[in-house]
C-alpha cells in the first residue's frame, strides 16, 4: 500500500480520535480521505484489517479504558464522552470487548483476574497445536507478552487459546479448534495497563486455517512498535493488580 493511501487513512483515524463523542459517518470519513465511500471502505479494511465502523468502535472503547483509569468521571459520563447514547449499551459492549465491566476494570486498576470463556468452544477439543517463538525488534523494552488466538485481527473479547510469557520466548497453544484464526501478541505493562501505552509492542501471524487433517502449526511472531494503523488492544490483561496467572501460563478457553 502506497504512503499516500496510508496517510489518507491516518488522517481519517486522527479525525476519529477528534470526533469520538460525535456522529461520524462513512461519508464523513471518505470525504476526509478524498475517496469514494466504496473505495474508502475497501482500502481502510486492507490497511487496518477492520472496517471503518469497527475501528471507530474500538477507538471509543480504548479511550473509555484510559478515562476509567485516569479520571474520576462516572461510567455514564464516560459513555457519553466516547459517543454512546445509552450507558447500558456502552457497559455491555465494554464487557464483551474488554472482558470485564467498566466499574470492575476501574476497581482492579485495569487488569483482569481471569479471561472469560469463549462461547461455544469446549475446553480440550481439537488435536492441533500452534507453537512458535515471540521475539522483539526492541528486546530492551519488552515486558510481559500476551499471545492469543482470535477469530479476527483485533485483541478483543475472549481468546480461543492464550499464553502469558515473561519477556517473550516460546509458546504452545494446545487443542486448537477447527477454523480460521489469527495469532496476536502484545506487550503488557507489569505495573499499570497504560504503562508504555504510546509505544506498545505488537505482532501478528495469520490467518491460519485449522482443518481436520492439520497437525502442529508453526507461527513465530516478531513484536514491533504499534503504529497508527494498528487496531487498539481492548482485552484487559491478566496482571499483578488482580491475581495474575503464573508467568508462562497457557490458557484454554471455552
Amino acid at each position: 500500500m502506497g504512503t499516500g493511501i496510508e496517510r489518507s487513512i491516518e488522517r481519517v483515524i486522527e479525525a476519529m480520535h477528534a470526533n469520538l463523542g460525535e456522529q461520524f459517518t462513512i461519508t464523513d470519513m471518505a470525504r476526509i480521505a478524498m475517496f469514494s465511500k466504496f473505495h474508502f471502505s475497501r482500502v481502510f479494511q486492507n490497511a487496518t484489517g477492520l472496517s471503518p465502523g469497527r475501528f471507530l468502535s474500538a477507538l471509543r472503547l480504548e479511550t473509555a479504558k484510559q478515562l476509567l483509569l485516569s479520571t474520576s468521571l462516572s461510567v455514564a459520563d464516560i459513555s457519553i464522552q466516547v459517543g454512546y447514547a445509552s450507558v447500558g449499551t456502552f457497559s455491555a459492549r465494554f464487557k464483551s470487548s474488554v472482558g470485564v465491566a467498566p466499574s470492575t476494570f476501574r476497581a482492579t486498576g485495569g487488569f483482569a483476574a481471569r479471561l472469560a470463556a469463549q462461547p461455544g468452544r469446549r475446553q480440550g477439543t481439537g488435536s492441533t497445536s500452534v507453537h512458535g517463538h515471540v521475539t522483539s525488534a526492541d528486546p530492551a523494552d519488552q515486558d510481559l507478552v500476551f499471545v492469543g488466538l482470535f477469530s479476527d485481527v483485533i485483541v478483543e473479547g475472549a481468546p480461543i487459546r492464550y499464553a502469558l510469557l515473561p519477556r517473550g520466548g516460546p509458546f504452545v497453544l494446545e487443542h486448537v479448534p477447527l477454523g480460521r484464526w489469527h495469532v496476536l501478541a502484545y506487550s503488557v505493562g507489569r505495573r499499570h495497563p497504560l504503562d508504555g501505552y504510546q509505544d506498545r509492542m505488537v505482532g501478528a501471524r495469520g490467518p491460519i486455517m485449522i482443518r481436520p487433517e492439520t497437525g502442529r502449526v508453526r507461527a513465530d511472531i516478531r513484536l514491533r512498535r504499534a503504529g497508527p494503523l494498528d487496531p487498539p488492544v481492548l482485552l484487559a490483561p491478566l496482571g499483578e493488580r488482580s491475581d495474575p496467572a503464573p508467568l508462562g501460563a497457557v490458557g484454554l478457553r471455552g
Side-chain angles (χ1 to χ4, degrees), residues 29-145:
M29 298 176 195
R31 185 182 302 116
I32 291 169
M34 294 186 289
F35 295 137
S36 70
K37 286 194 293 185
F38 174 79
H39 185 56
F40 166 71
S41 295
R42 183 168 57 83
V43 297
F44 191 99
Q45 178 99 30
N46 289 340
T48 67
L50 299 178
S51 69
R54 192 168 177 198
F55 199 99
L56 175 58
S57 177
L59 288 182
R60 285 175 166 150
L61 293 177
E62 179 187 50
T63 299
K65 289 170 60 179
Q66 296 173 53
L67 292 173
L68 284 165
L69 297 182
S70 62
T71 76
S72 59
L73 291 171
S74 69
V75 172
D77 287 341
I78 289 172
S79 70
I80 293 170
Q81 192 160 323
V82 298
Y84 284 82
S86 163
V87 66
T89 300
F90 164 73
S91 295
R93 185 69 58 82
F94 188 98
K95 185 173 182 178
S96 174
S97 296
V98 179
V100 295
S103 56
T104 303
F105 183 82
R106 171 175 273 168
T108 59
F111 289 97
R114 62 185 178 85
L115 297 183
Q118 175 70 241
R121 299 287 175 186
R122 290 191 303 142
Q123 181 167 331
T125 61
S127 59
T128 298
S129 66
V130 175
H131 71 109
H133 199 281
V134 178
T135 57
S136 176
D138 190 357
D141 274 349
Q142 194 169 318
D143 212 323
L144 300 183
V145 175

Side-chain angles (χ1 to χ4, degrees), residues 155-173:
V155 180
E156 175 182 42
I160 301 299
R161 302 289 184 261
Y162 72 89
L164 186 63
L165 312 174
R167 305 184 68 82
F171 69 90
V172 180
L173 306 175

Side-chain angles (χ1 to χ4, degrees), residues 207-231:
I208 57 174
M209 291 297 302
I210 304 300
R211 299 182 172 89
E213 68 275 11
T214 303
R216 193 171 166 88
V217 176
R218 181 89 188 188
D220 294 325
I221 296 177
R222 185 166 178 81
L223 298 179
R224 56 173 175 76
R225 298 285 175 191
L229 302 184
D230 288 304

